[in-house]
Amino acid sequence: MTEARYDVLGIGNAIVDILARAEEDFLVEQQLSKGSMRLVDMTESKRLYAAMGPAIEASGGSAGNTVAGVASLGGKTAFVGKVADDELGAIYGHDMRSIGATFDVAPLVGGAPTARCMIFVTPDGERTMNTYLGACHALTPDDIDPVLFADTKITYFEGFLWDAPSARDAFFKAADIAHSAGRQVSLTLSDAFCVDRFRGDFLRLLRDGTIDILFANEVELKSFYETSSFNTALKALRQDCRIATVTVGAEGSYVVTPDGIEHVPATVVEDVVDTTGAGDLYASGFLYAVAKGLDLRTAAALGSLAAGEVINHMGPRPATSLIDLARQSGYAL
């Protein structure tokens, strides 16, 4: 197998995040379920934008955030996602390329606008997301470059892609190319509501070996196995996975393989400002470490370090150099 040009390639929804602080009462008034992600149409997206307070815009999207984290660690990255030929699409493309990621997917012309997510951050740092997918639905197998996917050590997919049938087809094409080239394929379950919609599909992908590395948090995992017992879900995951990692907030994460389950403590964060992107950045550290041949415990610890950085500030992507932070913390990267 030839040496890969890229460490991690993310394929997912290209979304511009619009973030604002909000009180708990606001969520109640707007009938929003705290900590959740829901899909909205353009009318609802505009209504929420009009209702929110002062906001900041930041390129986001789960896989895009993960790619940004890997790039900040010094990894070579690429991204595949669909934006429209509009102002937000141009901003998203600029932001992705400015961090050194390859992003060559042609924008959608004459269709839906670039996706955006209205995110409300409560005083405890929890984020509540309302996503209009727009142009993301236009991602198709034609956007999958075989050379790009064959030239990447680990391809990372977000579960949110399953909301668009053509994007699912793109997923299968990309996964087949990656495995044919001897590369690894990873998936994040993304959100408990996403798991509820597509549980059967995700279980099949894990059990038939399409997924080599699975990412989940505690809530997603319990939904995945339809149990209220976290330990029961962990044991079931051990029977199904090759490699998996499950985050449990301030308690850290669990690395799961057929050989066992290992707990890895979290990086201590004194001031949680905004949890947007925490899981995405955890995946950044984990995938970067695996791509570089580091052991799984180190991968989980590096993931926690990256997640700890992003929850220290507003926005879904690193505000400081993760490779500098990692080296200051004793990692030989």
Side-chain angles (χ1 to χ4, degrees):
M1 183 172 62
T2 59
E3 180 63 26
R5 178 182 176 188
Y6 298 99
D7 295 306
V8 176
L9 184 158
I11 175 170
N13 293 324
I15 301 172
V16 175
D17 291 339
I18 302 173
L19 303 100
R21 297 188 180 279
E23 298 298 325
E24 303 275 354
D25 289 348
F26 177 86
L27 301 184
V28 175
E29 291 169 3
Q30 299 295 323
Q31 298 182 328
L32 303 178
S33 177
K34 181 179 174 181
S36 67
M37 192 292 290
R38 66 170 183 147
L39 299 178
V40 300
D41 59 19
M42 184 56 112
T43 299
E44 176 68 355
S45 180
K46 289 180 177 179
R47 187 190 72 79
L48 289 171
Y49 182 63
M52 70 179 5
I56 63 170
E57 295 181 359
S59 293
S62 177
N65 295 337
T66 298
V67 165
V70 175
S72 187
L73 283 163
K76 295 186 180 302
T77 61
F79 178 74
V80 170
K82 202 74 167 180
V83 297
D85 185 20
D86 57 16
E87 184 178 359
L88 286 184
I91 290 171
Y92 193 94
H94 170 269
D95 286 352
M96 191 59 70
R97 297 183 190 102
S98 71
I99 62 173
T102 295
F103 180 37
D104 294 330
V105 177
L108 177 67
V109 178
T114 296
R116 69 286 314 268
C117 182
M118 303 301 155
I119 302 178
F120 299 95
V121 182
T122 43
D124 60 357
E126 185 60 88
R127 82 287 181 272
T128 301
M129 302 182 291
N130 304 269
T131 304
Y132 168 68
L133 287 174
C136 292
H137 280 297
L139 184 71
T140 74
D142 291 339
D143 294 308
I144 302 303
D145 177 2
V147 175
L148 183 63
F149 283 84
D151 211 12
T152 299
K153 292 178 183 177
I154 307 174
T155 296
Y156 176 75
F157 297 94
E158 60 180 71
F160 290 134
L161 280 175
W162 242 246
D163 285 301
S166 63
R168 295 185 209 178
D169 294 337
F171 167 93
F172 284 113
K173 178 179 178 180
D176 286 343
I177 293 167
H179 278 150
S180 294
R183 313 302 187 187
Q184 290 183 293
V185 172
S186 59
L187 172 76
T188 173
L189 293 181
S190 294
D191 182 272
F193 293 99
C194 186
V195 174
D196 288 341
R197 294 194 298 276
F198 307 117
R199 181 181 295 104
D201 288 346
F202 293 162
L203 278 168
R204 281 190 293 274
L205 292 172
L206 187 62
R207 289 168 176 167
D208 70 12
T210 301
I211 301 304
D212 301 296
I213 304 172
L214 182 75
F215 292 89
N217 64 29
E218 180 178 358
V219 175
E220 293 160 3
L221 188 69
K222 289 192 288 189
S223 173
F224 196 42
Y225 287 107
E226 298 182 274
T227 177
S228 60
S229 169
F230 181 54
N231 287 333
T232 297
L234 275 179
K235 291 176 182 177
L237 180 61
R238 182 183 174 189
Q239 299 301 312
D240 287 337
C241 75
R242 296 182 179 181
I243 299 172
T245 182
V246 184
T247 55
V248 286
E251 296 179 15
S253 63
Y254 290 85
V255 176
V256 184
T257 70
D259 294 330
I261 300 170
E262 183 176 12
H263 177 253
V264 180
T267 297
V268 176
V269 178
E270 294 183 0
D271 184 21
V272 177
V273 175
D274 173 18
T275 59
T276 307
D280 305 333
L281 268 294
Y282 177 92
S284 297
F286 193 94
L287 291 172
Y288 174 81
V290 172
K292 294 302 183 182
L294 303 179
D295 65 89
L296 297 182
R297 183 177 180 85
T298 299
L302 190 59
S304 291
L305 185 73
E309 190 282 335
V310 82
I311 65 176
N312 261 319
H313 57 80
M314 288 286 284
R317 297 187 177 180
T320 60
S321 168
L322 290 182
I323 192 168
D324 288 345
L325 180 62
R327 286 171 173 165
Q328 291 166 11
S329 300
Y331 292 89
L333 302 181

